[in-house]
């Protein structure tokens, strides 16, 4: 395992109050932070001007921008934004994914006090998702919008909602005629290169001096998996303090400039705040991976890894599973991947234990030690990290203890399952344009109500950390009054039905039995010879139903109690629909929307005479 000096040991103060609530705090002090993200940029432009900060693929290699060049471009773009009259009341909408120009624009906006609003590419590129894009535009009322390629985003840029909004593109050529500066609908497009010219009449230093820790740097849209999306006001204090909290927990970040090859999108707090700012705060280098863990694009990730490996590895569990398989087949890449690796960090869901064990085994074979394998817990509203497993963990699924400066309030039930609320300098001030939703988000003591639940690994030792135990809002009761913890049960079912199920929804609210609606892994089913013929929205394959019946039956014989016994299943023929709100931009299911949109299939699930339904 990693040396003790590579992480801050857990040291938790626990206070149980008269009302039964529990307060957890770290006994370690919070280190001082800078006030603005631009302070980091100045620091590294002064002390390491030639070090690569941002890089993206260009031809057979990389377009690399060092700290000095990024600062120069940030100041020029900042001047151009101010010359257009942009300020803290005129957000910038970013519709395309991660890229060097996107990064420069984001930092420039933060440098001069203009909020940036990055949204998922799918909102603009998927025709049926334009409703989500219109909602965001209506909420923030942008004065400028950026895309990397005007031709690729041509349909979205023609939306009536963007009339009067200046469009900026790194590649401004339109589909018709390929002319720079114009588009198919006749509206002008400004080249990003024009922003890089700056404006000599603008006092950028004066603007930078007015940026404070309370200045909003970004407005990040929540995923909308449990409610409609909200715009999280993300201040400089939130971003700057959270990086200090992370570096306090992981001191190796301060000892050696980190390097990452990262695909995680910047419209999400994981990729855009946690990872991006970790490189900036610690003088690191961010190489943008233009691949991702999906069929047809993961091969690009492997190509990129063959060009550049890092000191930290961030990913979602699916990505790490695919990476483990690739490393098992390539000894040279396996050696280079582990040779300088300090950290393997997963988020978004629990890492399957077999993947965790595979990386441990592989690291020991290659490097003779295991890098710190860990995760943390937080939300967009918490910047994101509020709790972290800072010490080496015995297994996957542990989210740790409060980071320095955060107070966690736990409201335990009779089974010591705790609702989680948090307070600290990394917590948002509120939601954009939504005072009522902001008020509802905090309790009478000023703690942010997360809606998440956790349990102690050891109720007698808070230093052992906590385990995430689902969303309170996902839980439901059966007709018997028995509570069903749907989040953990969903993970159990995904493991049981792997690799046949790509995702699933747990059902049974106000019914007698728990059921499951399965979104199939069509590629795997086809490879295994299952028939994908649909019967009014459900797959009717007898062979597939037989396999699911076998697995559910074996599990039922090993457990007792109605709260975890899954008695019926139906396999859905149609994949989750993003345009209809069943899937968020993060790829998460909106369970309520699935159950509402497929109400007829839900009713079929509870009919014993339906041939598509599996019952045990």
């Amino acid at each position: 395992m990693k040396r003790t000096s590579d992480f801050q040991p857990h040291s938790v103060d626990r206070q149980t109050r008269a009302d039964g609530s529990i307060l957890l705090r770290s006994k370690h002090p919070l280190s001082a932070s800078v006030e603005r993200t631009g302070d980091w940029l100045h620091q590294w432009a002064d002390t390491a001007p030639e070090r690569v900060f941002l890089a993206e693929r260009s031809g057979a290699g990389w377009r690399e921008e060092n700290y000095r060049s990024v600062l120069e471009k940030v100041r020029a773009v900042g001047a151009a934004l101010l010359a257009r009259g942009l300020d803290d009341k005129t957000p910038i909408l970013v519709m395309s994914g991660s890229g060097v120009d996107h990064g420069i624009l984001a930092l420039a906006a933060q440098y001069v006090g203009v909020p940036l609003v990055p949204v998922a590419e799918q909102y603009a590129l998927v025709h049926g998702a334009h409703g989500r894009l219109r909602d965001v535009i209506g909420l923030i009322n942008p004065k400028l919008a950026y895309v990397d390629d005007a031709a690729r985003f041509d349909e979205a840029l023609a939306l009536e909602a963007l009339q009067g909004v200046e469009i900026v593109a790194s590649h401004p050529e339109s589909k018709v005629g390929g002319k720079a500066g114009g588009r198919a609908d006749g509206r002008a497009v400004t080249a990003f290169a024009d922003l890089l010219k700056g404006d000599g009449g603008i006092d950028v230093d004066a603007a930078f001096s007015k940026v404070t820790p309370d200045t909003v740097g970004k407005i990040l849209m929540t995923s909308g998996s449990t409610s409609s999306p909200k715009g999280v006001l993300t201040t400089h204090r939130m971003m700057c303090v959270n990086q200090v909290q992370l570096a306090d927990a992981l001191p190796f970040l301060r000892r050696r400039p980190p390097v990452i090859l990262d695909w995680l999108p910047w419209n999400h707090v994981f990729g855009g705040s946690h990872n991006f700012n970790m490189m900036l705060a610690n003088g690191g280098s961010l190489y943008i991976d233009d691949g991702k863990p999906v069929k047809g694009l993961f091969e690009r990730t492997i190509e990129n890894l063959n060009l550049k490996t890092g000191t930290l590895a961030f990913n979602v569990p699916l990505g790490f599973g695919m990476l483990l398989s690739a490393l098992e087949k390539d000894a040279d890449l396996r050696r280079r991947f582990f040779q300088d690796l300090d950290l393997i960090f997963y988020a978004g869901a629990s890492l399957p234990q077999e993947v965790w064990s595979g990386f441990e085994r592989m690291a020991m074979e290659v490097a003779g030690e295991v890098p710190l394998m860990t995760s943390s817990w937080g939300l967009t509203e918490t910047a994101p990290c509020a709790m972290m497993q800072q010490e080496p963990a015995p297994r996957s699924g542990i989210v740790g203890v409060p980071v320095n400066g955060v107070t966690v309030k736990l409201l335990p039930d009779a089974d010591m399952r705790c609702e989680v609320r948090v307070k600290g300098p990394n917590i948002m001030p509120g939601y954009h344009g939504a005072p009522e939703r902001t008020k509802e988000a905090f309790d009478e003591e000023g703690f942010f109500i997360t809606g998440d639940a956790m349990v102690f690994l050891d109720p007698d030792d808070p230093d052992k950390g906590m385990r995430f135990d689902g969303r309170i809002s996902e839980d439901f009761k059966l007709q018997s009054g028995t509570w069903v913890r749907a989040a953990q049960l969903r993970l159990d079912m995904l493991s049981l039905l792997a690799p046949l199920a790509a995702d699933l929804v747990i059902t049974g609210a106000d019914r007698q039995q728990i059921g499951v609606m399965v979104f199939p892994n069509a590629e795997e089913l086809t490879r295994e010879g299952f028939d994908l013929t649909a019967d009014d929205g459900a797959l009717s394959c007898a062979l597939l139903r037989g396999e699911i019946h076998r697995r559910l039956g074996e599990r039922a014989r090993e457990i007792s109690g109605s709260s975890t016994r899954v008695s019926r299943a139906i396999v859905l023929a149609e994949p989750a629909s993003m345009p209809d709100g069943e899937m968020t931009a993060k790829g998460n299911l909106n369970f309520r929307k699935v159950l509402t949109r497929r109400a007829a299939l839900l009713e079929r699930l509870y009919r014993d005479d339906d041939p598509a339904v599996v019952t045990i």
Side-chain angles (χ1 to χ4, degrees):
M1 289 295 181
K2 301 298 291 183
R3 298 180 299 275
T4 303
S5 60
D6 284 341
F7 55 85
Q8 177 179 258
H10 293 179
S11 182
V12 178
D13 176 70
R14 177 170 62 184
Q15 174 190 353
T16 301
R17 304 197 292 185
D19 63 359
S21 64
I22 300 169
L23 297 183
L24 300 181
R25 302 183 184 90
S26 171
K27 295 179 182 178
H28 298 290
L30 176 63
S31 299
S33 76
V34 299
E35 294 190 338
R36 304 158 296 187
T37 58
D39 293 331
W40 290 324
L41 193 53
H42 276 282
Q43 174 188 347
W44 299 111
D46 289 341
T47 60
E50 301 300 325
R51 184 181 300 157
V52 172
F53 171 29
L54 295 174
E56 64 186 4
R57 282 299 301 272
S58 178
W62 300 95
R63 171 196 172 187
E64 297 177 326
E65 296 282 351
N66 62 35
Y67 276 94
R68 180 179 58 202
S69 68
V70 170
L71 176 58
E72 291 171 351
K73 292 177 178 179
V74 160
R75 287 173 58 85
V77 173
L81 298 178
L82 294 175
R84 285 162 163 75
L86 272 64
D87 57 22
D88 61 340
K89 301 296 192 299
T90 57
I92 297 171
L93 176 68
V94 175
M95 292 181 280
S96 56
S98 310
V100 169
D101 288 349
H102 177 170
I104 291 169
L105 177 62
L107 290 171
Q110 293 170 28
Y111 195 90
V112 298
V114 179
L116 191 90
V117 188
V119 297
E121 278 192 325
Q122 297 96 313
Y123 288 178
L125 295 177
V126 177
H127 177 79
H130 286 173
R132 287 290 185 100
L133 181 59
R134 291 188 188 94
D135 289 344
V136 174
I137 294 169
L139 177 66
I140 67 171
N141 191 27
K143 300 303 179 186
L144 185 148
Y146 168 81
V147 295
D148 56 4
D149 188 318
R152 194 161 69 99
F153 287 84
D154 199 69
E155 183 180 355
L157 296 182
L159 292 175
E160 184 68 24
L162 288 174
Q163 287 289 338
V165 177
E166 181 181 6
I167 306 299
V168 176
S170 294
H171 302 284
E173 297 80 7
S174 70
K175 288 181 179 178
V176 179
K179 295 180 180 179
R183 295 196 328 100
D185 61 4
R187 294 170 57 198
V189 176
T190 301
F192 186 76
D194 288 346
L195 299 189
L196 291 171
K197 297 174 183 177
D199 190 305
I202 298 296
D203 189 343
V204 179
D205 292 323
F208 181 55
S209 69
K210 294 177 182 178
V211 176
T212 73
D214 293 317
T215 299
V216 174
K218 295 192 289 187
I219 301 173
L220 291 175
M221 305 306 299
T222 61
S223 66
S225 58
T226 57
S227 65
S228 59
K230 302 179 287 287
V232 176
L233 298 172
T234 305
T235 65
H236 283 258
R237 175 182 288 107
M238 291 169 63
M239 292 187 284
C240 295
V241 167
N242 205 223
Q243 288 305 319
V244 170
Q245 292 167 325
L246 288 165
D248 280 353
L250 306 172
F252 59 79
L253 292 174
R254 295 183 174 127
R255 286 199 296 271
R256 177 171 68 158
V259 178
I260 61 174
L261 174 74
D262 195 45
W263 70 271
L264 290 159
W266 293 350
N267 61 290
H268 298 159
V269 71
F270 186 11
S273 290
H274 188 284
N275 294 358
F276 185 98
N277 287 337
M278 185 179 285
M279 298 306 103
L280 177 58
N282 299 286
S285 302
L286 170 52
Y287 283 78
I288 299 166
D289 175 15
D290 55 353
K292 62 177 61 176
V294 297
K295 183 181 179 182
L297 289 176
F298 187 67
E299 294 77 9
R300 181 68 167 184
T301 289
I302 297 303
E303 178 184 327
N304 292 334
L305 274 171
N306 276 297
L307 295 174
K308 191 70 181 181
T309 55
T311 63
L312 317 174
F314 296 101
N315 220 319
V316 295
L318 174 63
F320 275 127
M322 296 175 73
L323 178 59
L324 181 66
S325 297
L327 293 176
E328 287 174 341
K329 301 171 185 175
D330 189 332
D332 181 61
L333 180 59
R334 185 164 65 241
R335 175 187 58 78
R336 289 186 289 107
F337 178 78
F338 284 103
Q339 66 184 2
D340 286 322
L341 197 62
D342 290 321
L343 177 72
I344 293 176
F345 185 102
Y346 67 92
S350 183
L351 188 70
Q353 187 59 40
E354 62 269 22
V355 177
W356 172 286
S357 300
F359 273 105
E360 282 189 324
R361 170 186 51 78
M362 195 175 289
M364 286 300 298
E365 293 173 355
V366 172
E369 66 172 355
V370 179
L372 182 62
M373 296 178 60
T374 191
S375 186
S376 67
W377 169 84
L379 302 92
T380 307
E381 292 91 339
T382 64
C385 184
M387 299 180 71
M388 187 171 194
Q389 178 63 25
Q390 300 160 197
E391 299 180 346
R395 59 180 174 82
S396 174
I398 304 172
V399 297
V401 299
V403 295
N404 297 352
V406 165
T407 300
V408 172
K409 179 163 74 171
L410 304 172
L411 306 180
D413 62 17
D415 299 322
M416 285 304 292
R417 183 179 190 249
C418 303
E419 179 192 337
V420 185
R421 302 181 179 186
V422 291
K423 181 188 288 187
N426 56 309
I427 310 303
M428 69 160 190
Y431 297 114
H432 177 74
E436 288 304 313
R437 297 182 85 170
T438 296
K439 183 179 179 180
E440 294 167 357
F442 294 88
D443 69 13
E444 66 282 354
E445 293 184 288
F447 282 85
F448 174 63
I449 304 169
T450 71
D452 284 354
M454 293 191 192
V455 294
F456 285 102
L457 265 70
D458 182 346
D460 296 323
D461 186 358
D463 285 347
K464 295 286 181 63
M466 302 195 77
R467 175 177 60 80
F468 179 72
D469 199 45
R471 296 281 296 173
I472 298 294
S473 62
E474 294 173 13
D475 296 347
F476 58 82
K477 283 185 177 181
L478 298 172
Q479 284 183 1
S480 63
T482 300
W483 274 105
V484 175
R485 310 303 190 195
Q488 183 58 50
L489 184 57
R490 174 176 167 273
L491 294 177
D492 293 344
M493 286 296 99
L494 282 171
S495 177
L496 179 75
L497 298 178
L500 306 179
D503 212 333
L504 52 83
V505 176
I506 301 295
T507 71
D510 299 321
R511 298 180 184 269
Q512 294 182 358
Q513 297 175 324
I514 301 173
V516 60
M517 300 174 75
V518 178
F519 287 96
N521 183 341
E523 181 180 351
E524 180 66 24
L525 294 180
T526 300
R527 182 165 50 246
E528 294 298 321
F530 291 105
D531 181 12
L532 301 186
T533 301
D535 175 18
D536 196 20
L539 297 187
S540 57
C541 176
L543 182 63
L544 177 59
R545 285 188 288 111
E547 178 61 19
I548 293 174
H549 184 276
R550 182 186 67 79
R551 297 188 191 191
L552 290 180
E554 289 180 355
R555 178 180 182 276
R557 288 190 290 272
E558 297 174 357
I559 63 173
S560 61
S562 60
S563 65
T564 58
R565 188 177 192 273
V566 178
S567 302
R568 51 188 61 235
I570 190 170
V571 183
L572 307 177
E574 178 193 354
S577 169
M578 180 179 291
D580 291 311
E582 291 185 319
M583 179 181 290
T584 73
K586 292 182 179 180
N588 300 329
L589 290 180
N590 182 325
F591 306 120
R592 294 179 184 174
K593 183 65 72 172
V594 171
L595 294 174
T596 300
R597 183 170 178 264
R598 304 180 192 239
L601 285 165
L602 177 61
E603 292 304 317
R604 287 180 62 186
L605 175 59
Y606 285 90
R607 283 171 38 193
D608 292 335
D609 60 347
D610 193 305
V613 175
V614 175
T615 60
I616 61 168

